[in-house]
Amino acid sequence: MKNNEKVTTIFALGGLGEVGKNMYVVEHENEIIIIDAGVMFPEGDLLGIDYVIQDVTYLKQNENKIKALFITHGHEDHIGGITFLLQNVNIPVIYAPRIACDLIRNKFADRNVNYKNLEIYDKDSVFKYKHFEISFVTTTHSIPDSFAIVIKTPNGIIFETGDFKFDLTPIGPMADIHKMAALGSEGVKLLLSDSTNALSPGFSASESCVDEALSDVFAKHNSRIILATFASNIYRIKHIVETCRKNNRKIVTFGRSMETAKEIALKNNLITDKTIFIEPSEAKNLKKHQICILCTGSQGEPLAALSRIANGTHKQIELIPDDIVVFSSSPIPGNRASINRIINKLYLKGVKVYTNTELSDIHTSGHAKQEEQKWMLRIIKPQYFMPMHGEYRMLKTHGDLAIDCGIPKENIFICKNGDTVELTKDGARLGKRVQAGDVYVDGSRIGDIGSVVIKDRKLMSQDGILVTILNINPLTRELLIKPNITTRGFVLVNENAELLSKIENKVSEIVVKAIKNSYNYVDLKNQIILELNPFINELTGRRPIILPVIMEVRENI
């Protein structure tokens, strides 16, 4: 580093090597700006975990430098972590687009968060700080009010795309390609670009194609239509409303997040016809071809409306054989098995199911595919490139696309969360890592569920629990009666009397041997676990969690 060289540092605390948990940080001397604060939904192996959020230790340590949190758009993987962030770090102000602001305010109300400094920005907003100038570029995504963020720094322009696609016939506004091109001509030092669909060749389908495909489904059938989609895809909801209006259908909504999305769309005049929505009780007075049920559960979530409908446990809807169920969504990685279970249950009920296929475009992604990613690279013409928002294979493939578009391999940074890229007047380089990682949210508990707890939960889910209850006279140091063995999720007690008898005898042997010597409860418990574990494993091939319980009894039983 040259003497007095002032570097601009860029890094992710979430969003690299994963889909979700997005949080990107730009720092120059005594100023930090943060872009997005999302959550990631846990895979099935994170038992009991509700959300995965960022380790924000670095932000806490540098709290006095933070100027603002900027939100690109209102999806959960970009705003879902805000309430958790505010519990740990002082954020002076949050700037977000109009729709995202409404969604964030709902989160504040749900979690009783009293935060006053939430401000709306639009495409013309500009925020100036000592070292940064922040402006915005309209992009196309599956939710209204989506933006790329432009950060002018002393060491060049950083362009962060947010989630984007290029749709030439969108339902909402067009991406501002001209503004992007002007920035490209001005000179962009570093591009951070959405990598979610880097493995998918070609162009993503236009939202207008989905409109046509859904219209065909509605026109073909005179049955009741049950349509599941992402509640956050407000543009999809908007043209479902238009399709229902054209086909003389009324809409009944089910699912809390769907209700919220409907209210936000009505409030912001994205949907203007309130009369198309009816209460469930009103639907009883209509014929089947006059009804569309719009619900959550397109990802097979067990408590969502569609899952309860498929299981026959929904209090207000019962499937009938000629129902049509439409999944206007694609599976999020990890959800395919859950979705398939729901689809099979629906088929068992005799209903017809439509899913998104090459023959039926009833969903399109809000993320750019390869040709659109190349287009972004060509328009912005960055000197350096850092793929973001994706698993490692997506980031790597996006990096390869950048090489195809003329960016030198040495100018491409495939980073992990915590890796830093340092911009200087002369170029860019990798810097020192900052602390980054996963923090688990379990109900109201944040961060106190570590890998050891998760490992224990996995063991319990696979091999169960075995509890040994010991009655010991502390004065005579005698085991008064045989140990009592209780199990949960290990074996059926009634069918494994011989096995449990062997375990009881082994525990007795361990205890008798141990208490001949001076002992304390901790040492005795550890000795039981140490010797009993391999003994049970040899007998059964399983390793249950062993919980010794010692009860002091001062008189003979």
Side-chain angles (χ1 to χ4, degrees):
M1 184 184 291
K2 297 177 183 176
N3 290 336
N4 300 320
E5 186 178 46
K6 308 297 185 186
V7 301
T8 305
T9 305
I10 302 96
F11 57 91
L13 292 177
L16 301 184
E18 58 200 5
V19 176
K21 194 160 79 65
N22 290 284
M23 181 181 283
Y24 307 94
V25 180
V26 183
E27 179 177 6
H28 190 96
E29 290 191 296
N30 63 342
E31 291 187 331
I32 285 176
I33 65 160
I34 308 165
I35 300 173
D36 289 333
V39 295
M40 185 165 63
F41 296 100
E43 296 286 341
D45 59 343
L46 291 177
L47 301 171
I49 299 303
D50 299 317
Y51 307 108
V52 184
I53 59 174
Q54 309 82 3
D55 180 342
V56 293
T57 301
Y58 185 87
L59 296 179
K60 183 64 178 174
Q61 292 169 346
N62 294 274
E63 202 170 43
N64 61 317
K65 294 183 180 182
I66 298 171
K67 296 300 173 185
L69 166 63
F70 291 92
I71 301 299
T72 57
H73 65 283
H75 279 156
E76 281 295 294
D77 58 334
H78 296 260
I79 67 169
I82 291 175
T83 56
F84 305 118
L85 176 65
L86 292 175
Q87 290 180 45
N88 291 289
V89 182
N90 178 41
I91 305 295
V93 61
I94 300 173
Y95 294 108
R98 183 173 43 117
I99 298 297
C101 270
D102 284 343
L103 291 165
I104 293 166
R105 287 191 187 102
N106 281 343
K107 288 186 175 299
F108 288 167
D110 287 345
R111 294 184 176 269
N112 295 316
V113 174
N114 184 24
Y115 184 83
K116 301 298 183 185
N117 298 334
L118 176 61
E119 305 288 343
I120 296 174
Y121 73 74
D122 61 26
K123 62 184 178 62
D124 299 316
S125 299
V126 177
F127 300 96
K128 295 184 178 181
Y129 302 95
K130 181 180 177 182
H131 300 300
F132 298 128
E133 180 179 301
I134 315 296
S135 57
F136 309 93
V137 180
T138 302
T139 56
T140 302
H141 189 42
S142 55
I143 188 171
D145 286 344
S146 296
F147 291 90
I149 296 184
V150 182
I151 308 116
K152 292 187 177 180
T153 79
N155 292 311
I157 295 174
I158 300 168
F159 188 90
E160 204 264 27
T161 65
D163 291 2
F164 79 96
K165 65 185 285 187
F166 287 115
D167 187 343
L168 301 182
T169 54
I171 300 297
M174 269 278 296
D176 195 339
I177 299 168
H178 302 292
K179 195 170 183 178
M180 293 179 193
L183 284 162
S185 298
E186 185 178 345
V188 171
K189 189 71 162 279
L190 177 68
L191 170 66
L192 283 73
S193 186
D194 174 12
S195 305
T196 309
N197 272 344
L199 304 177
S200 302
F203 288 89
S204 58
S206 170
E207 192 69 27
S208 297
C209 295
V210 178
D211 199 7
E212 293 172 15
L214 284 175
S215 295
D216 287 345
V217 172
F218 275 72
K220 280 181 187 175
H221 299 285
N222 286 322
S223 306
R224 188 173 63 170
I225 293 177
I226 301 170
L227 202 152
T229 191
F230 296 109
S232 60
N233 194 340
I234 293 176
Y235 283 139
R236 183 70 45 78
I237 295 170
K238 175 182 170 66
H239 67 59
I240 288 168
V241 167
E242 291 301 310
T243 304
C244 286
R245 189 176 56 79
K246 291 173 187 173
N247 289 273
N248 297 313
R249 287 181 185 260
K250 296 291 186 179
I251 298 175
V252 185
T253 56
F254 287 103
R256 186 179 178 191
S257 56
M258 191 64 74
E259 288 286 339
T260 299
K262 178 187 80 174
E263 293 304 321
I264 287 173
L266 288 167
K267 175 186 171 184
N268 290 283
N269 292 319
L270 292 163
I271 298 171
T272 54
D273 183 7
K274 291 183 180 181
T275 63
I276 200 161
F277 295 102
I278 61 172
E279 294 297 320
S281 57
E282 297 176 71
K284 296 175 183 176
N285 303 321
L286 299 177
K287 295 178 180 177
K288 290 183 291 185
H289 68 271
Q290 296 175 311
I291 300 169
C292 173
I293 294 168
L294 182 59
C295 64
T296 55
S298 64
Q299 297 302 302
E301 305 96 315
L303 298 179
L306 185 60
S307 294
R308 288 183 283 125
I309 292 168
N311 291 328
T313 58
H314 199 286
K315 293 179 180 179
Q316 294 169 291
I317 308 170
E318 186 175 339
L319 287 171
I320 49 180
D322 63 345
D323 278 342
I324 306 296
V325 178
V326 180
F327 283 78
S328 187
S329 62
S330 291
I332 292 172
N335 289 350
R336 190 173 292 277
S338 299
I339 295 168
N340 287 341
R341 278 195 294 271
I342 297 301
I343 291 172
N344 282 324
K345 287 178 181 178
L346 291 167
Y347 271 105
L348 283 168
K349 298 284 176 115
V351 305
K352 183 173 179 58
V353 180
Y354 283 91
T355 58
N356 189 50
T357 67
E358 291 180 2
L359 301 175
S360 175
D361 286 328
I362 54 176
H363 174 69
T364 182
S365 174
H367 298 271
K369 292 187 178 180
Q370 287 183 358
E371 296 305 311
E372 296 155 272
Q373 290 170 344
K374 291 178 188 176
W375 197 4
M376 180 65 79
L377 286 158
R378 292 294 192 185
I379 293 170
I380 298 299
K381 298 181 290 188
Q383 187 178 353
Y384 296 91
F385 177 51
M386 177 179 160
M388 64 167 192
H389 199 312
E391 297 169 3
Y392 178 79
R393 58 188 176 143
M394 301 167 186
L395 305 178
K396 179 65 170 62
T397 303
H398 203 173
D400 293 341
L401 295 177
I403 294 171
D404 293 342
C405 290
I407 297 179
K409 185 176 181 180
E410 60 271 19
N411 287 11
I412 297 169
F413 299 99
I414 310 296
C415 295
K416 300 174 184 176
N417 293 330
D419 290 347
T420 65
V421 174
E422 295 179 343
L423 300 186
T424 66
K425 292 286 187 185
D426 299 328
R429 62 184 178 236
L430 285 173
K432 294 180 180 178
R433 275 186 58 81
V434 302
Q435 182 171 328
D438 291 342
V439 172
Y440 301 134
V441 179
D442 182 350
S444 60
R445 300 160 65 191
I446 302 172
D448 60 349
I449 306 297
S451 58
V452 175
V453 175
I454 297 297
K455 184 180 177 182
D456 282 349
R457 289 180 180 182
K458 287 179 185 176
L459 283 172
M460 285 188 281
S461 73
Q462 294 162 1
D463 293 342
I465 304 172
L466 184 142
V467 181
T468 70
I469 302 173
L470 309 173
N471 292 278
I472 293 177
N473 186 326
L475 301 176
T476 61
R477 288 192 297 175
E478 290 180 281
L479 182 63
L480 298 175
I481 59 174
K482 285 183 71 174
N484 181 20
I485 304 296
T486 302
T487 76
R488 290 291 183 272
F490 173 51
V491 294
L492 285 172
V493 174
N494 296 338
E495 297 179 10
N496 291 274
E498 185 180 347
L499 170 65
L500 294 178
S501 178
K502 288 180 180 179
I503 294 172
E504 286 174 358
N505 292 336
K506 181 64 176 176
V507 175
S508 297
E509 179 188 316
I510 296 167
V511 173
V512 168
K513 185 170 63 175
I515 61 179
K516 284 180 180 178
N517 306 313
S518 178
Y519 79 96
N520 59 52
Y521 292 153
V522 173
D523 290 342
L524 181 57
K525 288 178 179 180
N526 288 339
Q527 191 65 30
I528 292 168
I529 294 168
L530 185 67
E531 293 190 38
L532 198 55
N533 229 321
F535 178 78
I536 292 174
N537 188 46
E538 188 175 335
L539 289 175
T540 66
R542 298 168 68 184
R543 292 183 179 272
I545 297 286
I546 298 170
L547 299 176
V549 177
I550 298 175
M551 301 179 68
E552 286 190 346
V553 181
R554 294 181 182 272
E555 295 181 1
N556 288 336
I557 295 177

